Amino acid sequence: MNMQKSSNKLDTIFNSYYECKLISRGDNFPDFNPVDDSLDLFLVALHEKLDIKFFQKRAGWSDEFLQEKIDFLKSKNWLKGDENLKPTVFIVSHNQGTGLYKYGKPLAEQIAESVMQEIPSIKEKFYNSELSSKYNFEEWSFFLLSDVLLDNWQIHNVETEFLKKDERPQRHGKNYYYSIMENIEFPIENFGIYGNQYRSLNDSIALNIYGNNRNIVNSKIKKSNSYLDSLVNNAPKVTNVEMELFDKLASDFKPKLIKILVENKNYINSIYNKTGYADEISFEEFFIWWYHFIYTDVTNILGEHNELRIPQNGNFYCLIMK
């Protein structure tokens, strides 16, 4: 890459917005802020294969400061290599993310078809549950068919039964997956990916928010306690009885999901290599983030087929009774 192209690319990186996400449990999270000192942008520049000297000059880093940050990121298992430095966390630009959706479409369509085949059985289980006395299936369809079948209730199964991993990558004594994604549609989350957020209210209750518009919610909550109160007062309660239903739905669909992934293992591996991620991160780190693109696409396909109703504001709320 010539000097002018490198300069233009760096300008783009420094003028873009990147959103950081992690997949973890408990106290497994970074013990430093990746945004401090533009560490996230440094990793993005390396991912984009820019000359380290161009970044150093643009960021105003001295030789000593550069080496300090390289050593620091290596000590955290966020960076590898000597002459050819490479990030070890998942980094994706807008164009790369668009490509991942395209590559994931065949998988998403297979999974969506499998979900649609199961919907009569899922509805039957729902209408035999206590939830049906207060709500109809449509109101819960987004949460059940996306979060329960594919994401929060299923992600561990994908890790252990498809990726064959019981532990997430170890970084400075913690185990977690981490991503730095370009987001050109903020406040909608990176690439419109649906995800979970738990907000503990006290020792016995947590507010669960599932969707891709949580940035706006968090901003409103920070500005007004009454907004949080309104969410809590209007959110349905999920007790152990409902949790048993969710566990059952995820467990019943698990073999079908894992079967699709296993049957497409060669294709998945080919995309891992084709996209260049094989040079930077582990297969597990690549797939677990790509899987988020895939199940988001599955969710949207189901929405297009009117099999689920995506909330107008992008989020579903419920209270988890601990």
Side-chain angles (χ1 to χ4, degrees):
M1 189 177 294
N2 64 38
M3 186 178 298
Q4 186 58 51
K5 285 185 177 180
S6 294
S7 179
N8 292 341
K9 188 65 179 177
L10 274 174
D11 286 341
T12 299
I13 290 172
F14 273 85
N15 291 321
S16 296
Y17 174 70
Y18 293 89
E19 203 165 357
C20 299
K21 293 288 175 65
L22 80 161
I23 303 170
S24 70
R25 295 187 190 89
D27 65 350
N28 288 283
F29 48 82
D31 59 1
F32 66 100
N33 188 345
V35 176
D36 288 350
D37 298 321
S38 299
L39 290 178
D40 56 338
L41 302 186
F42 178 54
L43 293 168
V44 171
L46 292 175
H47 173 70
E48 295 290 347
K49 297 180 172 56
L50 295 178
D51 189 311
I52 194 171
K53 293 298 183 182
F54 282 111
F55 179 88
Q56 181 184 2
K57 182 178 180 181
R58 177 69 170 77
W61 289 9
S62 67
D63 290 342
E64 293 77 11
F65 192 81
L66 171 64
Q67 190 59 53
E68 176 188 324
K69 295 307 173 186
I70 290 173
D71 293 341
F72 176 78
L73 289 169
K74 284 184 176 181
S75 74
K76 301 299 181 181
N77 194 21
W78 279 53
L79 189 62
K80 66 181 181 181
D82 294 313
E83 296 298 321
N84 191 14
L85 294 170
K86 295 180 184 296
T88 61
V89 296
F90 180 77
I91 298 172
V92 61
S93 68
H94 175 73
N95 287 339
Q96 289 170 324
T98 301
L100 288 176
Y101 267 124
K102 180 185 72 174
Y103 293 134
K105 180 64 72 174
L107 288 167
E109 290 175 341
Q110 290 180 54
I111 296 170
E113 178 61 33
S114 186
V115 171
M116 286 188 276
Q117 291 173 5
E118 294 300 308
I119 287 177
S121 174
I122 293 169
K123 284 184 176 180
E124 181 181 359
K125 292 183 180 72
F126 175 85
Y127 284 114
N128 285 330
S129 74
E130 289 296 320
L131 280 176
S132 64
S133 65
K134 297 180 181 179
Y135 308 99
N136 60 49
F137 179 78
E138 185 179 54
E139 293 173 283
W140 282 79
S141 58
F142 171 65
F143 178 77
L144 294 176
L145 300 183
S146 184
D147 193 17
V148 174
L149 250 61
L150 303 172
D151 184 15
N152 196 44
W153 271 259
Q154 203 71 266
I155 198 78
H156 181 67
N157 297 325
V158 172
E159 292 178 73
T160 57
E161 300 198 24
F162 174 63
L163 296 177
K164 306 294 184 183
K165 289 288 183 179
D166 291 321
E167 287 192 346
R168 287 158 180 172
Q170 187 177 93
R171 297 184 161 110
H172 54 85
K174 304 289 186 176
N175 296 87
Y176 60 87
Y177 292 105
Y178 204 88
S179 70
I180 301 172
M181 303 190 199
E182 185 178 9
N183 188 348
I184 69 169
E185 297 181 345
F186 186 85
I188 297 298
E189 294 174 54
N190 326 59
F191 303 103
I193 292 172
Y194 302 112
N196 266 288
Q197 177 180 297
Y198 284 90
R199 181 180 289 269
S200 183
L201 303 176
N202 55 47
D203 291 340
S204 59
I205 303 176
L207 176 66
N208 180 42
I209 307 171
Y210 181 72
N212 62 8
N213 202 17
R214 295 168 295 173
N215 291 322
I216 286 181
V217 173
N218 290 330
S219 177
K220 288 182 177 180
I221 289 174
K222 287 180 181 178
K223 292 178 182 178
S224 171
N225 287 332
S226 62
Y227 182 75
L228 175 60
D229 291 339
S230 69
L231 293 179
V232 171
N233 292 334
N234 290 290
K237 294 180 180 179
V238 172
T239 67
N240 288 336
V241 174
E242 286 77 36
M243 292 293 276
E244 288 178 4
L245 169 65
F246 302 160
D247 289 341
K248 173 65 174 170
L249 294 178
S251 177
D252 287 349
F253 187 65
K254 178 183 68 174
K256 301 171 180 65
L257 174 63
I258 299 302
K259 183 174 184 289
I260 291 171
L261 298 180
V262 170
E263 288 176 345
N264 286 277
K265 181 70 177 289
N266 289 339
Y267 174 72
I268 293 169
N269 196 60
S270 73
I271 300 304
Y272 172 55
N273 286 281
K274 182 177 182 177
T275 53
Y277 283 103
D279 292 333
E280 294 184 359
I281 59 179
S282 68
F283 176 80
E284 294 78 18
E285 186 103 36
F286 165 75
F287 181 75
I288 207 65
W289 288 112
W290 189 29
Y291 177 69
H292 283 65
F293 286 80
I294 293 168
Y295 77 64
T296 293
D297 200 20
V298 173
T299 303
N300 292 333
I301 291 171
L302 294 173
E304 291 164 5
H305 284 80
N306 296 315
E307 299 289 1
L308 60 75
R309 185 182 70 187
I310 299 172
Q312 191 171 8
N313 67 3
N315 298 321
F316 177 89
Y317 308 90
C318 63
L319 294 176
I320 306 294
M321 315 303 289
K322 303 176 185 178

